[in-house]
Amino acid sequence: MKNKIFLLVFVLLAFLGNAQELNFKHVLDISNVELDVNKFGPYIGLQQGKYSSIEFGAEFQHKNIKWIRPTTHSVHLGFNYNFYNNLLGYDLGYWYKAGRLNLTYGVNAIFRTDYTHNAIGFAPVVGYKIGQLHMQTGYNFLSRTTTNFPCNTFFMTLRFVLVQYRNFDWKK
C-alpha cells in the first residue's frame, strides 16, 4: 500500500513539474465556444390597454449563446383583433436582448383599421422574456386618426411562443 501511495505522489509531482511545458490552455479555454440556436413558431397573446385585443402570429428567434453576453434577435409578424370594437391590426416587429436577465428592446411597425378609418405607425417596446413567455409594454405612435378610433396608445402585451422548429449550430 505504501508503494502505491509513493508511486502516485511521484507521478503527480512529475506531472506538476512538467506542467509549465505543457500547454493545456487551448483545451481548457471555453470562453470562445458559442452555440447558435434558431427557433421558429406561432405565438398567441393578449394586448391590454384602454382596449383589449387577442393576438396571433409567428416569431423567429436567433440566439447566440456564449459564456459572456449572449444575445437574442427576434422578428415577428402577426395580427390582433378587438372583438368589442371591431378593430383589426397587423404588427411587424423586431426585438433584441443582450445578456441573460436583461430587458428586451424593440420596435413594431403597425397598421390598424376599424373598416372605416385606417392608421399606420410604429410602437417602440420594452419587455422581459422568461422562457417562451414574453411581456412587453409600449406606446403606439399612429398617423392621424379620428377622436373615437378604438386603438390603444399605451399598452402591455403578454405573448407565449409555441416553438415548432429548433436548429442548433456549435461554433468554436
Side-chain angles (χ1 to χ4, degrees):
M1 184 68 178
K2 289 182 183 180
N3 290 339
K4 289 181 183 178
I5 293 174
F6 177 73
L7 182 62
L8 181 63
V9 170
F10 181 73
V11 169
L12 286 175
L13 287 175
F15 179 73
L16 292 175
N18 290 328
Q20 292 178 353
E21 295 175 15
L22 299 175
N23 187 5
F24 287 107
K25 186 175 182 180
H26 68 282
V27 175
L28 299 175
D29 186 20
I30 57 174
S31 62
N32 293 332
V33 176
E34 295 181 15
L35 173 64
D36 284 347
V37 180
N38 293 321
K39 296 179 183 180
F40 179 78
Y43 68 80
I44 185 167
L46 178 67
Q47 185 180 103
Q48 182 66 48
K50 185 176 180 182
Y51 307 100
S52 297
S53 300
I54 189 163
E55 297 185 332
F56 298 99
E59 184 169 285
F60 173 79
Q61 296 176 12
H62 174 78
K63 286 185 169 187
N64 185 292
I65 301 171
K66 51 189 174 180
W67 286 103
I68 299 171
R69 202 158 169 91
T71 57
T72 304
H73 298 269
S74 179
V75 177
H76 64 88
L77 175 65
F79 73 94
N80 52 53
Y81 191 74
N82 180 335
F83 288 100
Y84 299 111
N85 295 305
N86 199 25
L87 183 76
L88 175 67
Y90 295 99
D91 295 343
L92 172 65
Y94 166 81
W95 58 263
Y96 170 76
K97 178 180 174 183
R100 287 184 174 76
L101 300 174
N102 295 348
L103 296 174
T104 61
Y105 303 97
V107 65
N108 296 334
I110 57 175
F111 173 78
R112 301 287 186 265
T113 182
D114 63 357
Y115 304 104
T116 304
H117 302 96
N118 300 325
I120 61 171
F122 70 97
V125 291
V126 175
Y128 192 74
K129 186 172 182 335
I130 298 175
Q132 298 310 107
L133 196 61
H134 193 188
M135 184 172 63
Q136 292 180 316
T137 184
Y139 189 89
N140 289 327
F141 292 97
L142 295 170
S143 61
R144 174 172 271 157
T145 60
T146 61
T147 57
N148 60 353
F149 193 68
C151 182
N152 292 326
T153 51
F154 184 72
F155 64 92
M156 289 191 74
T157 299
L158 185 63
R159 289 184 183 149
F160 184 79
V161 179
L162 302 162
V163 176
Q164 298 291 316
Y165 169 79
R166 229 179 232 133
N167 182 22
F168 297 95
D169 184 25
W170 284 97
K171 292 182 179 181
K172 183 159 177 152

